[in-house]
Amino acid sequence: MIQDLLYSQPGLLNFGIFFLLATVLLLVVLGFVTYGILAERKVMGFMQLRHGPNQVGGPWGLLQTVADVLKLLLKEDTIPKLADRPLYILAPVIAFTPAFMVLATIPFTDKFQFADIGVGLLYYIAISGLTTIGIVTGGWASNNKYALLGGMRAAAQMISYEIPLVMSVIGVILLSGSLNLNEIVAAQQDMGWFILLQPIGFIIFLIASVAELNRAPFDLPEAESELVAGFHVEYSGFRWAFFMLAEYVYFFAMASLTTVLFLGGWLPPFAFLDFIPGAVWFALKFTAVVFLLIWFRVTLPRLRADQLMEFGWKVLLPVALGNIFLTAIIKELLKLF
């Protein structure tokens, strides 16, 4: 664990080391965002019989996203005349900050984690919900009816799908007996990956996480065909880039959390493969989850707003409740035998 390398008492050395490590993690995440976007565009192109980016940076377009980022940084920063200027400026920061904060508690390997919090899963869920405040604030501060509708949709969607998301992991908590993400991974070493023990919970978690990420087919807050890009329609340049950065950092974080909760984190699928470093296993599982989420975006059409809400409350919520009861009953029956 990283904190084991530090002194027990806080001080400037601790601050300096953590600041340096946080900067390194930020650079890693920015690298993922840069090439995650490129990978998404290439996969989408492949599935739709297109080439995708193939000009900037060679035939694979390896520098296309870098060029796009430079373009956004150089674009004029426009603020609507009737916008609430302070809130308009602050909203992208409110949206991005929680996205980076949640990475602190995710264990990437048994030796690499920034904060081993006893209730790490609860911390993730609590902090991640704050981004919606930034989205709603941006939609309202823009003084644009389409942006406001997008912000309101984001709030309704978060409330509707946060509940099934939390309830889908209660089965994992019951089996592992902990909210600590390290202990959840350790429990899977003895019991097996929770995707096998909690298949219903995994499916609910996957669906609800896509909705929490505001990605297709649950991208109603943006909905270009209905709301002209929704809550960030009035944003341009680097402020718009902040909203996109928040989305893809959450993409990184949610794929990592899925790997930890259901795919055994850094654990190998079979004991005889434990000579391969845990970071390699984590990266492979993480990449599989990322590909699956991209596949959803390419394949599934966007739902209507009423279908989105009904599915969350009338389908996911009852199934999640049933999964909790089923898990509790099975756990008690196992104790008897």
Side-chain angles (χ1 to χ4, degrees), residues 19-313:
F19 182 81
L20 178 62
L21 291 172
T23 304
V24 172
L25 179 62
L26 178 61
L27 293 176
V28 171
V29 172
L30 290 177
F32 165 80
V33 171
T34 300
Y35 287 97
I37 293 173
L38 176 65
E40 183 169 27
R41 294 174 69 180
K42 295 297 284 188
V43 171
M44 291 174 65
F46 173 77
M47 291 185 173
Q48 296 169 350
L49 300 180
R50 298 184 290 106
H51 291 292
N54 63 350
Q55 296 297 317
V56 183
W60 281 89
L62 295 177
L63 297 178
Q64 180 63 59
T65 308
V66 177
D68 292 339
V69 171
L70 290 176
K71 180 196 72 171
L72 288 173
L73 294 176
L74 294 174
K75 286 185 70 172
E76 180 183 1
D77 177 30
T78 60
I79 299 178
K81 183 178 180 180
L82 299 178
D84 188 322
R85 188 180 181 89
L87 290 180
Y88 181 90
I89 294 173
L90 191 60
V93 179
I94 298 174
F96 169 74
T97 303
F100 189 62
M101 288 174 63
V102 298
L103 297 177
T105 190
I106 294 178
F108 299 101
T109 69
D110 56 342
K111 300 185 185 303
F112 186 79
Q113 181 185 19
F114 281 84
D116 186 9
I117 303 174
V119 288
L121 181 55
L122 181 62
Y123 168 89
Y124 182 102
I125 294 169
I127 296 297
S128 63
L130 297 177
T131 291
T132 306
I133 297 175
I135 293 175
V136 175
T137 301
W140 185 86
S142 298
N143 195 31
N144 179 296
K145 61 183 179 181
Y146 297 113
L148 180 59
L149 282 172
M152 296 297 288
R153 280 187 177 186
Q157 186 166 316
M158 189 274 289
I159 293 171
S160 299
Y161 283 83
E162 188 85 10
I163 299 173
L165 182 75
V166 174
M167 296 180 73
S168 67
V169 300
I170 291 179
V172 171
I173 297 169
L174 287 172
L175 293 174
S176 63
S178 176
L179 285 165
N180 183 288
L181 294 175
N182 287 287
E183 293 179 7
I184 289 174
V185 174
Q188 294 178 75
Q189 190 166 17
D190 300 325
M191 305 173 66
W193 295 1
F194 286 147
I195 188 175
L196 302 176
L197 301 175
Q198 285 284 298
I200 299 175
F202 172 73
I203 294 171
I204 297 171
F205 181 86
L206 195 62
I207 295 172
S209 64
V210 173
E212 288 289 299
L213 292 170
N214 292 333
R215 290 179 58 84
F218 303 115
D219 56 341
L220 271 298
E222 299 178 22
E224 293 86 351
S225 59
E226 305 167 27
L227 302 181
V228 203
F231 63 90
H232 51 56
V233 63
E234 294 288 359
Y235 283 88
S236 63
F238 75 96
R239 300 192 199 281
W240 182 86
F242 255 81
F243 279 118
M244 289 297 98
L245 182 61
E247 177 181 333
Y248 279 91
V249 172
Y250 268 128
F251 193 13
F252 178 93
M254 192 62 78
S256 300
L257 185 65
T258 305
T259 302
V260 169
L261 293 179
F262 293 98
L263 301 178
W266 57 86
L267 300 176
F270 303 102
F272 67 87
L273 294 173
D274 59 359
F275 65 92
I276 299 176
V280 174
W281 288 118
F282 191 97
L284 290 174
K285 298 172 189 177
F286 169 85
T287 304
V289 175
V290 168
F291 176 80
L292 185 62
L293 295 178
I294 295 174
W295 193 358
F296 286 168
R297 177 179 178 180
V298 180
T299 307
L300 302 174
R302 181 184 299 132
L303 296 178
R304 295 199 315 260
D306 60 316
Q307 293 173 333
L308 175 85
M309 302 300 288
E310 286 185 6
F311 184 69
W313 290 104

